[in-house]
Amino acid sequence: MAERSNLEVLKARCKVICNTCYVDDDAAKDVLVSENIEPADAYNATTDSKITKCAIIIVKGWVETSRSENGISASINSETLKKSLLYWCQHSGLDASELLSDELTTIEDGSYYW
């Protein structure tokens, strides 16, 4: 398997977290650079949690809830997206309370999901 760049891994991670999140290169590069990750460098597992953090930042800002193209519609289930964001925080050892708003990390009784 050919080496993938940090940019390629980030874009794939965004799609894994939210299957309708197709981030453009410029936005993805900006987020990577803000986390001191060179987009063109070969992906290295040591930066995995930082790339996941970048993907969460992008997906959190994703505002599209539904879309229709050529007769095919896609929509985002917000509860499923919340669970996916929380899962990826936990999977990558990231503190969800630092990355996600209270709205995304708490449930009705005030307890935390993660």
Side-chain angles (χ1 to χ4, degrees):
M1 183 173 174
E3 282 188 357
R4 296 187 304 161
S5 70
N6 290 322
L7 177 62
E8 291 169 317
V9 172
L10 172 61
K11 291 175 74 173
R13 188 69 46 88
C14 288
K15 287 186 280 187
V16 167
I17 295 170
C18 179
N19 66 352
T20 63
C21 185
Y22 291 89
V23 62
D24 66 48
D25 285 357
D26 290 336
K29 287 176 183 177
D30 284 348
V31 174
L32 285 169
V33 169
S34 74
E35 290 296 319
N36 298 313
I37 299 172
E38 181 55 46
D41 284 357
Y43 166 75
N44 182 318
T46 60
T47 61
D48 191 69
S49 64
K50 289 178 83 174
I51 288 176
T52 298
K53 178 181 177 183
C54 291
I56 288 168
I57 290 166
I58 291 168
V59 171
K60 219 174 61 167
W62 194 250
V63 295
E64 183 177 83
T65 57
S66 65
R67 159 183 66 174
S68 181
E69 287 181 24
N70 298 324
I72 298 171
S73 5
S75 63
I76 297 170
N77 179 312
S78 62
E79 285 304 311
T80 302
L81 178 58
K82 287 178 192 179
K83 288 177 183 177
S84 182
L85 287 166
L86 290 166
Y87 166 81
W88 282 99
C89 282
Q90 183 180 27
H91 175 78
S92 301
L94 299 169
D95 185 351
S97 68
E98 290 180 7
L99 291 171
L100 307 175
S101 66
D102 286 342
E103 179 181 300
L104 292 176
T105 59
T106 57
I107 54 178
E108 289 176 11
D109 68 1
S111 61
Y112 284 102
Y113 276 115
W114 50 277

